Structure formats: structure tokens, C-alpha cells
Amino acid sequence: MIRDGRTGRADFIFYSNRIIRLLVEEGLNHLPVIEQSIQTPVGRDYLGVKFEGKICGVSIMRAGEAMEQGLRDCCRSVRIGKILIQRDEETCMPKLFYDKLPADIADRWVLLLDPMFATGRSNHVLSFLLASDRSTNSLQ
């Protein structure tokens, strides 16, 4: 539907946002949880799960910003960092031009927001940045 040249702008935005939301929800499904018992409004006990830890999104500037609202729709008050990676014209390798990440990113699970995930080089640059500057391995 979104690849169909006859799809109108409103439908394209609607279906793209739906796909982004599904991707974010699937990413969240891979994070660690702990069991938690609650009592429902009708007085019954229910054993469910609760997320264990903190998360943040890291948006690849421009393309990744399209995914930020999907993450915010699923996780209120989520912290979002940004990085700008561009291809070096001489070496054809990704080059980091800008990063603004939460100070406590080492204590968070990181969801990379990049809808143009083709070669994985953005992921590699982000992994290197997080490992070298902030000593974390919580990249999802």
C-alpha cells in the first residue's frame, strides 16, 4: 500500500505511522521484564509483567525522526537522543557529524530509530560511539 504510486498522501502517512508503531512495539517486546502481581478493579489478582529498566531512543537525524512519535506513543516521557551520520564521499564509509545523547545513556536500553536501515553502518557507528564514550552495551 505505501509503495503504490497511487496511494494518496494521507493514506501514506497513516500506513507508514502504523508500520512504525508495529516496529517500535516489536522492539519493546525484546526488552527484559519482571513478573508483577496487581489487583484488578473487580478485585481479582492478575499476574503480569513490568518492564525492568529505562529506555531511550536514538534517532538518526532526518530519516529517524519519523519514528520518534511512534516511540513516544508507546512510551510516555521517553528520552530521545540524536546522531547525524553521513557517508564520506571519498571513503564511502559512514562518518559521525553530530551526537546529542542523554547523559545517562549507559544506564538505558537503546532503541535505534532508523527507518532506512540498509547496510547496518549507522548501527555500527552508534555501537562504537556508545562503547567508546559511555561504556554501554545495551544497544537493541
Side-chain angles (χ1 to χ4, degrees):
M1 188 76 172
I2 66 172
R3 304 260 332 210
D4 188 338
R6 298 168 295 177
T7 300
R9 183 178 187 276
D11 284 340
F12 178 83
I13 292 170
F14 174 82
Y15 290 115
S16 296
N17 286 339
R18 181 68 183 123
I19 290 169
I20 288 168
R21 173 90 181 240
L22 290 169
L23 287 170
V24 168
E25 289 173 355
E26 182 60 28
L28 293 171
N29 283 336
H30 293 275
L31 297 178
V33 293
I34 56 173
E35 287 186 351
Q36 180 177 6
S37 181
I38 63 162
Q39 191 170 55
T40 68
V42 295
R44 298 202 176 215
D45 289 334
Y46 176 80
L47 183 60
V49 294
K50 176 182 173 183
F51 173 64
E52 182 180 49
K54 297 185 287 184
I55 67 166
C56 73
V58 174
S59 175
I60 305 296
M61 290 178 71
R62 293 193 298 263
E65 291 168 343
M67 298 183 77
E68 289 179 12
Q69 189 60 47
L71 180 58
R72 285 190 178 106
D73 288 344
C74 294
C75 306
R76 287 186 301 199
S77 304
V78 66
R79 305 279 313 268
I80 296 182
K82 296 191 179 278
I83 60 175
L84 175 61
I85 298 171
Q86 292 181 338
R87 188 177 72 133
D88 186 306
E89 294 299 323
E90 292 178 11
T91 65
C92 296
M93 296 301 290
K95 183 176 179 184
L96 178 67
F97 280 89
Y98 173 83
D99 74 281
K100 178 73 174 174
L101 302 172
D104 64 345
I105 197 167
D107 300 325
R108 295 177 180 268
W109 289 90
V110 178
L111 287 105
L112 179 61
L113 306 176
D114 184 8
M116 309 276 293
F117 208 70
T119 64
R121 289 185 176 159
S122 297
N123 186 12
H124 178 72
V125 170
L126 180 59
S127 297
F128 179 76
L129 176 68
L130 294 175
S132 64
D133 290 347
R134 291 163 178 90
S135 300
T136 184
N137 57 7
S138 57
L139 185 68
Q140 286 290 319

